[in-house]
Amino acid sequence: MHWFNRILLAALLACAVAFLPQHVYRGADSQDLARVLREQAALERENAALREDIARLHAEVAALRKDPRELERIARQDLNLIKPDEVVFELQRPKTTP
């Protein structure tokens, strides 16, 4: 009976050594998993927004290649460029007080 107690004690210790660390760290693992899943969802949303930006930029490039008027519009509006024979008048409106 004395040997049986020793074997039983050894078996209990082996089970405790094998399963106790998993039980203790399981809570930390679930927190890490939740954090990683939140990060993954945020990255997927960011990737979707970037894909939309890329599609919009591809459409703009295609429009610039096909339509010279679009190229001129961007040169005038965004870059403030003018043709060599044009004269620019800059008007300032007076500020009105209510």
Side-chain angles (χ1 to χ4, degrees), residues 50-67:
L50 289 173
R51 283 189 193 98
E52 290 174 6
D53 288 345
I54 289 171
R56 181 183 50 79
L57 291 172
H58 280 297
E60 186 176 337
V61 167
L64 289 172
R65 287 185 178 157
K66 292 179 184 177
D67 189 8

Side-chain angles (χ1 to χ4, degrees), residues 4 6 18 23 30 46 58 79 84 89 98:
F4 180 73
R6 287 185 179 181
H23 182 69
S30 65
E46 186 177 339
H58 280 297
L79 302 175
F89 294 98

